[in-house]
């Protein structure tokens, strides 16, 4: 996606990082770049608002389900396996 206007940070790059931004998992520099872009780019701001609303809706309706006790260890084991496979 591109709004057709020049920006320091490309629209696609911003939209690729929206969920990471919403989760607070970006560096301060990336956060600043995204904030500047969203201030300048109405289409990306609308997409951000939609993604934020979806995330809030999912959290509201799915955030209180109990998680199986062994799920965390299974997920971490799978992540370690994938990382190992990618390193080969």
């Amino acid at each position: 996606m591109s709004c057709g206007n020049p920006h320091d940070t490309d629209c696609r790059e911003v939209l690729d990082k929206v969920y990471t931004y919403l989760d607070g998992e970006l560096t301060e520099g990336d956060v600043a770049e995204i904030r500047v872009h969203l201030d300048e780019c109405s289409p990306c701001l609308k997409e951000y608002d939609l993604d934020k609303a979806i995330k809030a809706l999912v959290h509201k309706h799915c955030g209180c389900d109990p998680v199986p006790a062994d799920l965390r260890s299974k997920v971490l084991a799978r992540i370690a396996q994938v990382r190992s496979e990618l390193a080969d």
Side-chain angles (χ1 to χ4, degrees):
M1 174 187 169
S2 178
C3 66
N5 296 324
H7 298 285
D8 289 340
T9 307
D10 185 67
C11 293
R12 276 177 262 139
E13 184 180 337
V14 169
L15 295 177
D16 285 345
K17 295 179 180 178
V18 165
Y19 279 104
T20 311
Y21 174 79
L22 287 168
D23 291 340
E25 298 175 350
L26 294 177
T27 64
E28 289 182 28
D30 285 340
V31 167
E33 285 180 7
I34 289 178
R35 284 184 181 156
V36 167
H37 184 93
L38 294 175
D39 286 344
E40 297 174 347
C41 185
S42 173
C44 285
L45 181 60
K46 287 179 185 176
E47 184 69 28
Y48 162 80
D49 287 340
L50 176 62
D51 290 348
K52 184 177 177 182
I54 290 169
K55 187 170 176 62
L57 184 65
V58 168
H59 178 73
K60 179 180 177 185
H61 293 285
C62 301
C64 57
D65 293 338
V67 177
D70 64 337
L71 178 61
R72 177 178 169 76
S73 61
K74 286 180 181 179
V75 169
L76 291 174
R78 180 66 179 133
I79 289 171
Q81 179 186 1
V82 169
R83 283 183 177 160
S84 174
E85 291 170 2
L86 291 174
D88 292 337

